[in-house]
PDB file of all heavy atoms in Angstrom:
ATOM      1  N   ILE R  10       5.021  -0.837   1.693  1.00 92.00           N
ATOM      2  CA  ILE R  10       4.550  -1.212   0.378  1.00 92.00           C
ATOM      3  C   ILE R  10       3.920  -2.761   0.462  1.00 92.00           C
ATOM      4  O   ILE R  10       4.255  -3.525   1.384  1.00 92.00           O
ATOM      5  CB  ILE R  10       5.606  -1.151  -0.717  1.00 92.00           C
ATOM      6  CG1 ILE R  10       6.874  -2.083  -0.344  1.00 92.00           C
ATOM      7  CG2 ILE R  10       6.123   0.182  -1.030  1.00 92.00           C
ATOM      8  CD1 ILE R  10       7.925  -2.070  -1.288  1.00 92.00           C
ATOM      9  N   PRO R  11       2.979  -3.028  -0.531  1.00 93.00           N
ATOM     10  CA  PRO R  11       2.381  -4.270  -0.568  1.00 93.00           C
ATOM     11  C   PRO R  11       3.415  -5.490  -0.847  1.00 93.00           C
ATOM     12  O   PRO R  11       4.460  -5.287  -1.504  1.00 93.00           O
ATOM     13  CB  PRO R  11       1.430  -4.239  -1.690  1.00 93.00           C
ATOM     14  CG  PRO R  11       1.197  -2.851  -2.101  1.00 93.00           C
ATOM     15  CD  PRO R  11       2.483  -2.169  -1.649  1.00 93.00           C
ATOM     16  N   LYS R  12       3.100  -6.680  -0.266  1.00 94.00           N
ATOM     17  CA  LYS R  12       3.929  -7.809  -0.458  1.00 94.00           C
ATOM     18  C   LYS R  12       4.240  -8.242  -1.899  1.00 94.00           C
ATOM     19  O   LYS R  12       5.250  -8.667  -2.246  1.00 94.00           O
ATOM     20  CB  LYS R  12       3.352  -9.012   0.409  1.00 94.00           C
ATOM     21  CG  LYS R  12       4.105 -10.343   0.195  1.00 94.00           C
ATOM     22  CD  LYS R  12       3.481 -11.302   1.142  1.00 94.00           C
ATOM     23  CE  LYS R  12       4.330 -12.654   0.981  1.00 94.00           C
ATOM     24  NZ  LYS R  12       3.731 -13.741   1.737  1.00 94.00           N
ATOM     25  N   ARG R  13       3.222  -7.975  -2.744  1.00 95.00           N
ATOM     26  CA  ARG R  13       3.345  -8.361  -4.180  1.00 95.00           C
ATOM     27  C   ARG R  13       4.411  -7.582  -4.894  1.00 95.00           C
ATOM     28  O   ARG R  13       4.905  -7.967  -5.931  1.00 95.00           O
ATOM     29  CB  ARG R  13       1.937  -8.306  -4.859  1.00 95.00           C
ATOM     30  CG  ARG R  13       1.545  -6.795  -4.837  1.00 95.00           C
ATOM     31  CD  ARG R  13       0.058  -6.875  -5.613  1.00 95.00           C
ATOM     32  NE  ARG R  13      -0.599  -5.517  -5.287  1.00 95.00           N
ATOM     33  CZ  ARG R  13      -0.250  -4.428  -5.934  1.00 95.00           C
ATOM     34  NH1 ARG R  13       0.706  -4.491  -6.921  1.00 95.00           N
ATOM     35  NH2 ARG R  13      -0.875  -3.279  -5.759  1.00 95.00           N
ATOM     36  N   LEU R  14       4.728  -6.499  -4.357  1.00 96.00           N
ATOM     37  CA  LEU R  14       5.896  -5.648  -4.943  1.00 96.00           C
ATOM     38  C   LEU R  14       7.292  -5.867  -4.455  1.00 96.00           C
ATOM     39  O   LEU R  14       8.290  -5.505  -5.003  1.00 96.00           O
ATOM     40  CB  LEU R  14       5.659  -4.144  -4.786  1.00 96.00           C
ATOM     41  CG  LEU R  14       4.214  -3.673  -5.525  1.00 96.00           C
ATOM     42  CD1 LEU R  14       3.979  -2.279  -5.221  1.00 96.00           C
ATOM     43  CD2 LEU R  14       4.287  -3.828  -6.942  1.00 96.00           C
ATOM     44  N   ILE R  15       7.367  -6.638  -3.326  1.00 96.00           N
ATOM     45  CA  ILE R  15       8.582  -7.137  -2.745  1.00 96.00           C
ATOM     46  C   ILE R  15       9.203  -8.149  -3.722  1.00 96.00           C
ATOM     47  O   ILE R  15       8.531  -9.027  -4.181  1.00 96.00           O
ATOM     48  CB  ILE R  15       8.394  -7.705  -1.333  1.00 96.00           C
ATOM     49  CG1 ILE R  15       7.891  -6.648  -0.465  1.00 96.00           C
ATOM     50  CG2 ILE R  15       9.632  -8.267  -0.792  1.00 96.00           C
ATOM     51  CD1 ILE R  15       8.664  -5.386  -0.164  1.00 96.00           C
ATOM     52  N   GLY R  16      10.588  -8.064  -3.927  1.00 97.00           N
ATOM     53  CA  GLY R  16      11.167  -9.119  -4.735  1.00 97.00           C
ATOM     54  C   GLY R  16      12.452  -8.510  -5.388  1.00 97.00           C
ATOM     55  O   GLY R  16      12.974  -7.579  -5.141  1.00 97.00           O
ATOM     56  N   THR R  17      12.703  -9.275  -6.458  1.00 98.00           N
ATOM     57  CA  THR R  17      13.887  -9.015  -7.357  1.00 98.00           C
ATOM     58  C   THR R  17      13.482  -8.284  -8.620  1.00 98.00           C
ATOM     59  O   THR R  17      12.611  -8.790  -9.333  1.00 98.00           O
ATOM     60  CB  THR R  17      14.621 -10.219  -7.726  1.00 98.00           C
ATOM     61  OG1 THR R  17      15.015 -10.822  -6.403  1.00 98.00           O
ATOM     62  CG2 THR R  17      15.886  -9.940  -8.399  1.00 98.00           C
ATOM     63  N   TYR R  18      14.099  -7.199  -9.027  1.00 98.00           N
ATOM     64  CA  TYR R  18      13.956  -6.551 -10.196  1.00 98.00           C
ATOM     65  C   TYR R  18      15.280  -6.430 -10.976  1.00 98.00           C
ATOM     66  O   TYR R  18      16.309  -6.196 -10.456  1.00 98.00           O
ATOM     67  CB  TYR R  18      13.355  -4.977  -9.920  1.00 98.00           C
ATOM     68  CG  TYR R  18      12.064  -4.963  -9.269  1.00 98.00           C
ATOM     69  CD1 TYR R  18      11.943  -5.319  -7.850  1.00 98.00           C
ATOM     70  CD2 TYR R  18      10.937  -4.522 -10.026  1.00 98.00           C
ATOM     71  CE1 TYR R  18      10.725  -5.249  -7.387  1.00 98.00           C
ATOM     72  CE2 TYR R  18       9.810  -4.473  -9.371  1.00 98.00           C
ATOM     73  CZ  TYR R  18       9.514  -4.776  -8.020  1.00 98.00           C
ATOM     74  OH  TYR R  18       8.330  -4.697  -7.360  1.00 98.00           O
ATOM     75  N   VAL R  19      15.136  -6.448 -12.373  1.00 98.00           N
ATOM     76  CA  VAL R  19      16.320  -6.405 -13.229  1.00 98.00           C
ATOM     77  C   VAL R  19      16.326  -5.247 -14.148  1.00 98.00           C
ATOM     78  O   VAL R  19      15.103  -4.973 -14.637  1.00 98.00           O
ATOM     79  CB  VAL R  19      16.702  -7.709 -13.862  1.00 98.00           C
ATOM     80  CG1 VAL R  19      17.037  -8.795 -12.880  1.00 98.00           C
ATOM     81  CG2 VAL R  19      15.462  -8.145 -14.676  1.00 98.00           C
ATOM     82  N   GLY R  20      17.321  -4.758 -14.687  1.00 98.00           N
ATOM     83  CA  GLY R  20      17.342  -3.636 -15.532  1.00 98.00           C
ATOM     84  C   GLY R  20      18.884  -3.452 -16.115  1.00 98.00           C
ATOM     85  O   GLY R  20      19.719  -3.991 -15.574  1.00 98.00           O
ATOM     86  N   GLU R  21      18.895  -2.702 -17.109  1.00 98.00           N
ATOM     87  CA  GLU R  21      20.242  -2.297 -17.800  1.00 98.00           C
ATOM     88  C   GLU R  21      20.413  -0.817 -17.720  1.00 98.00           C
ATOM     89  O   GLU R  21      19.546  -0.088 -18.220  1.00 98.00           O
ATOM     90  CB  GLU R  21      20.316  -2.848 -19.189  1.00 98.00           C
ATOM     91  CG  GLU R  21      21.578  -2.670 -19.860  1.00 98.00           C
ATOM     92  CD  GLU R  21      21.784  -3.088 -21.244  1.00 98.00           C
ATOM     93  OE1 GLU R  21      20.673  -3.657 -21.702  1.00 98.00           O
ATOM     94  OE2 GLU R  21      22.715  -2.963 -21.898  1.00 98.00           O
ATOM     95  N   GLN R  22      21.513  -0.358 -17.148  1.00 97.00           N
ATOM     96  CA  GLN R  22      21.854   1.057 -17.178  1.00 97.00           C
ATOM     97  C   GLN R  22      22.671   1.183 -18.501  1.00 97.00           C
ATOM     98  O   GLN R  22      23.656   0.584 -18.835  1.00 97.00           O
ATOM     99  CB  GLN R  22      22.767   1.426 -16.068  1.00 97.00           C
ATOM    100  CG  GLN R  22      23.147   2.886 -16.185  1.00 97.00           C
ATOM    101  CD  GLN R  22      23.981   3.263 -14.822  1.00 97.00           C
ATOM    102  OE1 GLN R  22      23.374   3.373 -13.741  1.00 97.00           O
ATOM    103  NE2 GLN R  22      25.247   3.381 -14.971  1.00 97.00           N
ATOM    104  N   ASP R  23      22.182   2.164 -19.401  1.00 97.00           N
ATOM    105  CA  ASP R  23      22.919   2.426 -20.720  1.00 97.00           C
ATOM    106  C   ASP R  23      24.231   2.992 -20.512  1.00 97.00           C
ATOM    107  O   ASP R  23      24.451   3.696 -19.531  1.00 97.00           O
ATOM    108  CB  ASP R  23      21.981   3.429 -21.520  1.00 97.00           C
ATOM    109  CG  ASP R  23      20.661   2.749 -22.016  1.00 97.00           C
ATOM    110  OD1 ASP R  23      20.571   1.467 -22.056  1.00 97.00           O
ATOM    111  OD2 ASP R  23      19.656   3.503 -22.249  1.00 97.00           O
ATOM    112  N   SER R  24      25.122   2.854 -21.506  1.00 97.00           N
ATOM    113  CA  SER R  24      26.385   3.538 -21.523  1.00 97.00           C
ATOM    114  C   SER R  24      26.138   5.020 -21.542  1.00 97.00           C
ATOM    115  O   SER R  24      25.180   5.593 -22.076  1.00 97.00           O
ATOM    116  CB  SER R  24      27.237   2.981 -22.601  1.00 97.00           C
ATOM    117  OG  SER R  24      26.700   3.509 -23.866  1.00 97.00           O
ATOM    118  N   TYR R  25      27.192   5.690 -20.974  1.00 97.00           N
ATOM    119  CA  TYR R  25      27.169   7.185 -21.011  1.00 97.00           C
ATOM    120  C   TYR R  25      28.666   7.667 -21.008  1.00 97.00           C
ATOM    121  O   TYR R  25      29.540   6.912 -20.615  1.00 97.00           O
ATOM    122  CB  TYR R  25      26.313   7.719 -19.869  1.00 97.00           C
ATOM    123  CG  TYR R  25      26.856   7.378 -18.440  1.00 97.00           C
ATOM    124  CD1 TYR R  25      27.519   8.277 -17.675  1.00 97.00           C
ATOM    125  CD2 TYR R  25      26.342   6.279 -17.843  1.00 97.00           C
ATOM    126  CE1 TYR R  25      27.966   7.963 -16.475  1.00 97.00           C
ATOM    127  CE2 TYR R  25      26.830   5.884 -16.596  1.00 97.00           C
ATOM    128  CZ  TYR R  25      27.628   6.747 -15.933  1.00 97.00           C
ATOM    129  OH  TYR R  25      28.047   6.446 -14.623  1.00 97.00           O
ATOM    130  N   GLU R  26      28.737   9.045 -21.221  1.00 96.00           N
ATOM    131  CA  GLU R  26      30.051   9.643 -21.290  1.00 96.00           C
ATOM    132  C   GLU R  26      30.138  10.625 -20.158  1.00 96.00           C
ATOM    133  O   GLU R  26      29.167  11.274 -19.767  1.00 96.00           O
ATOM    134  CB  GLU R  26      30.287  10.389 -22.647  1.00 96.00           C
ATOM    135  CG  GLU R  26      30.530   9.454 -23.828  1.00 96.00           C
ATOM    136  CD  GLU R  26      31.172  10.205 -25.008  1.00 96.00           C
ATOM    137  OE1 GLU R  26      31.538  11.364 -24.841  1.00 96.00           O
ATOM    138  OE2 GLU R  26      31.247   9.537 -25.971  1.00 96.00           O
ATOM    139  N   MET R  27      31.477  10.693 -19.587  1.00 94.00           N
ATOM    140  CA  MET R  27      31.764  11.545 -18.564  1.00 94.00           C
ATOM    141  C   MET R  27      33.079  12.347 -18.996  1.00 94.00           C
ATOM    142  O   MET R  27      33.894  11.758 -19.763  1.00 94.00           O
ATOM    143  CB  MET R  27      32.164  10.931 -17.208  1.00 94.00           C
ATOM    144  CG  MET R  27      30.863  10.207 -16.563  1.00 94.00           C
ATOM    145  SD  MET R  27      31.330   9.483 -15.036  1.00 94.00           S
ATOM    146  CE  MET R  27      31.865  10.848 -14.043  1.00 94.00           C
ATOM    147  N   ILE R  28      33.215  13.576 -18.582  1.00 93.00           N
ATOM    148  CA  ILE R  28      34.479  14.292 -18.734  1.00 93.00           C
ATOM    149  C   ILE R  28      35.053  14.526 -17.588  1.00 93.00           C
ATOM    150  O   ILE R  28      34.585  15.231 -16.581  1.00 93.00           O
ATOM    151  CB  ILE R  28      34.182  15.593 -19.631  1.00 93.00           C
ATOM    152  CG1 ILE R  28      33.657  15.294 -20.924  1.00 93.00           C
ATOM    153  CG2 ILE R  28      35.482  16.375 -19.726  1.00 93.00           C
ATOM    154  CD1 ILE R  28      33.175  16.480 -21.804  1.00 93.00           C
ATOM    155  N   ILE R  29      36.338  14.064 -17.334  1.00 91.00           N
ATOM    156  CA  ILE R  29      37.168  14.093 -16.235  1.00 91.00           C
ATOM    157  C   ILE R  29      38.500  14.922 -16.545  1.00 91.00           C
ATOM    158  O   ILE R  29      39.203  14.270 -17.328  1.00 91.00           O
ATOM    159  CB  ILE R  29      37.430  12.912 -15.428  1.00 91.00           C
ATOM    160  CG1 ILE R  29      36.032  12.222 -15.062  1.00 91.00           C
ATOM    161  CG2 ILE R  29      38.286  13.157 -14.292  1.00 91.00           C
ATOM    162  CD1 ILE R  29      36.123  10.860 -14.590  1.00 91.00           C
ATOM    163  N   ASN R  30      38.827  15.985 -16.105  1.00 95.00           N
ATOM    164  CA  ASN R  30      39.985  16.790 -16.471  1.00 95.00           C
ATOM    165  C   ASN R  30      40.129  16.950 -17.911  1.00 95.00           C
ATOM    166  O   ASN R  30      41.171  16.778 -18.508  1.00 95.00           O
ATOM    167  CB  ASN R  30      41.177  16.120 -15.866  1.00 95.00           C
ATOM    168  CG  ASN R  30      41.213  16.065 -14.309  1.00 95.00           C
ATOM    169  OD1 ASN R  30      40.646  17.048 -13.666  1.00 95.00           O
ATOM    170  ND2 ASN R  30      41.806  15.051 -13.821  1.00 95.00           N
ATOM    171  N   ASN R  31      39.037  17.384 -18.579  1.00 95.00           N
ATOM    172  CA  ASN R  31      38.845  17.591 -19.907  1.00 95.00           C
ATOM    173  C   ASN R  31      39.215  16.420 -20.870  1.00 95.00           C
ATOM    174  O   ASN R  31      39.499  16.436 -22.070  1.00 95.00           O
ATOM    175  CB  ASN R  31      39.841  18.767 -20.492  1.00 95.00           C
ATOM    176  CG  ASN R  31      39.518  20.007 -19.800  1.00 95.00           C
ATOM    177  OD1 ASN R  31      38.241  20.393 -19.625  1.00 95.00           O
ATOM    178  ND2 ASN R  31      40.483  20.920 -19.542  1.00 95.00           N
ATOM    179  N   THR R  32      39.113  15.211 -20.296  1.00 96.00           N
ATOM    180  CA  THR R  32      39.213  14.007 -20.985  1.00 96.00           C
ATOM    181  C   THR R  32      37.962  13.185 -21.021  1.00 96.00           C
ATOM    182  O   THR R  32      37.395  12.964 -19.827  1.00 96.00           O
ATOM    183  CB  THR R  32      40.340  13.153 -20.368  1.00 96.00           C
ATOM    184  OG1 THR R  32      41.448  13.912 -20.280  1.00 96.00           O
ATOM    185  CG2 THR R  32      40.588  11.833 -21.214  1.00 96.00           C
TER     186      THR R  32
END
Side-chain angles (χ1 to χ4, degrees):
I10 56 176
K12 182 179 179 178
R13 64 184 166 75
L14 297 177
I15 297 299
T17 302
Y18 294 75
V19 294
E21 181 181 358
Q22 180 176 288
D23 293 333
S24 66
Y25 60 98
E26 287 193 9
M27 292 180 65
I28 297 178
I29 302 173
N30 295 329
N31 295 326
T32 305

